[in-house]
Amino acid sequence: MTTRLRLYAALFGLATTTWHAQVNAGVADYRFEPVVAEVNNGDGATLAVRLVHVPTGQPVPGAIVFRSRLDMSPDDMAAMTAKHEPLPETELGIYRFKANLTMAGRWALKLMIRIQGEAETITGNVIFNAKE
């Protein structure tokens, strides 16, 4: 085998391995975590969520949040919901929401997002504790 042929074979193998790893990425490769889990109760509370790519530990910028719900399901009150709205992304991989937390307790922010290049929707819950 010539040197040029070996080089082409090595490049092909590298490209195939890289492509295979990207195709097999999935929902388990991402996690949501609160930036600060303790928040103030009331109108104008800011909830910040970090989206992390688990294999690299790096934040994931540019995700599209297309559905969210904020409720008190961690305290067995899923019917208690709160109004919230997304805020602009100011830090890479940090997704913020302005919320009206009507009472103290544990609130679950449930998110459904899309990440460019991922075939599946990424879902997750982040728990915040609203204090008086």
Side-chain angles (χ1 to χ4, degrees):
M1 202 186 250
T2 69
T3 304
R4 181 176 285 188
L5 216 60
R6 280 187 220 145
L7 178 61
Y8 288 141
L11 288 174
F12 178 76
L14 180 62
T16 304
T17 303
T18 304
W19 177 80
H20 182 68
Q22 289 173 347
V23 167
N24 286 332
V27 294
D29 290 335
Y30 300 93
R31 102 174 147 251
F32 296 98
E33 52 190 41
V35 174
V36 176
E38 293 266 333
V39 296
N40 290 325
N41 187 27
D43 195 17
T46 300
L47 309 177
V49 176
R50 179 179 294 110
L51 177 59
V52 177
H53 183 242
V54 175
T56 64
Q58 297 298 309
V60 180
I64 298 169
V65 178
F66 68 89
R67 186 170 296 155
S68 62
R69 176 183 165 93
L70 183 59
D71 64 33
M72 290 194 79
S73 56
D75 286 339
D76 295 324
M77 295 188 287
M80 175 71 86
T81 61
K83 292 182 181 180
H84 62 287
E85 61 185 59
L87 295 171
E89 186 178 354
T90 57
E91 293 180 63
L92 292 180
I94 306 290
Y95 302 89
R96 299 177 313 125
F97 299 83
K98 180 181 176 186
N100 181 13
L101 303 178
T102 54
M103 66 186 293
R106 294 182 298 160
W107 290 85
L109 180 61
K110 301 171 181 181
L111 300 169
M112 295 180 79
I113 65 162
R114 295 294 302 198
I115 298 172
Q116 186 174 359
E118 286 294 342
E120 298 179 67
T121 298
I122 311 298
T123 60
N125 297 333
V126 180
I127 308 298
F128 293 94
N129 188 29
K131 57 185 178 175
E132 292 287 337

